[in-house]
Amino acid sequence: MPGYPQAVDRPSPEQQASNAKGAALAREKLAQAKADAQRRGQLPRTEPRKKKGGPKRDSGDPMLFGAAIQDLLASRGWEEPVAIGGVFGRWREIVGAELGLHTRPEAFEDGEVIVSADSTAWATQVRLLAPTLVRRLNEELGDGTVTAVKVRGPNLAPPRQAGHIRVKGSRGPGDTFG
């Protein structure tokens, strides 16, 4: 009837018990995920984040998706790994089509980007371009993030064994023509 408030349906005792079980299961899964992250060494930051100036947002207020993702990355300390992954994904755009065709980034460790080349000639080219690559990568990631570029050439032959015995007619590692 108009003018009278609608009756509110209350959950049945079975629904309340089911909701309680679901909440307990969620708490258990969260504790398990935190323990797994701690074993991997990927716990969220313990120091508080710096707060931005401006009006405060209530926790229940809606938030833009991009801002929510940025908050998540900041709270977990994932900004740098995500930025590195973005650079690795856009490698050809960053280094150029020709160089990107013959090289690929392998890893990022302690400020060093490890790049593999498909021939010794391209490995030499990357070594010559290393200062330029460091500057370009720091433009993408922020100053001081990348300190050096290490280059790995192709692995076409097994490593030579140390010693004095050699096979007559041996041609060496087999990558003499690039």
Side-chain angles (χ1 to χ4, degrees):
M1 283 194 211
Y4 292 104
Q6 296 275 334
V8 178
D9 290 334
R10 299 200 188 258
S12 68
E14 294 85 22
Q15 287 176 328
Q16 288 177 349
S18 175
N19 290 345
K21 287 179 187 176
L25 181 62
R27 279 191 294 276
E28 180 183 321
K29 292 296 182 183
L30 177 62
Q32 182 180 3
K34 285 182 178 180
D36 291 344
Q38 185 175 16
R39 277 195 301 276
R40 289 189 315 264
Q42 295 180 337
L43 279 181
R45 295 181 184 178
T46 55
E47 71 273 2
R49 287 184 288 157
K50 293 180 182 176
K51 300 291 183 184
K52 297 177 187 173
K56 302 290 184 208
R57 185 181 88 65
D58 290 334
S59 63
D61 287 347
M63 180 180 227
L64 293 175
F65 184 70
I69 295 295
Q70 288 296 333
D71 280 355
L72 175 69
L73 295 177
S75 68
R76 303 287 182 174
W78 294 340
E79 293 111 336
E80 186 176 286
V82 168
I84 298 295
V87 166
F88 282 16
R90 297 181 304 120
W91 181 252
R92 282 191 182 176
E93 294 173 31
I94 294 169
V95 301
E98 183 103 21
L99 188 62
L101 185 63
H102 297 284
T103 62
R104 69 179 179 280
E106 294 289 329
F108 178 78
E109 299 170 357
D110 300 326
E112 295 179 339
V113 175
I114 299 171
V115 177
S116 67
D118 60 4
S119 71
T120 55
W122 282 105
T124 302
Q125 184 71 16
V126 173
R127 285 185 191 99
L128 293 172
L129 291 173
T132 306
L133 284 176
V134 168
R135 181 184 50 76
R136 181 67 179 102
L137 291 170
N138 280 330
E139 287 174 5
E140 292 288 325
L141 298 170
D143 284 337
T145 305
V146 177
T147 57
V149 174
K150 281 188 175 180
V151 183
R152 293 183 183 159
N155 290 330
L156 299 177
R160 295 184 69 138
Q161 298 295 321
H164 299 289
I165 301 172
R166 298 279 186 249
V167 175
K168 289 185 181 181
S170 173
R171 293 178 34 187
D175 186 29
T176 57
F177 299 107

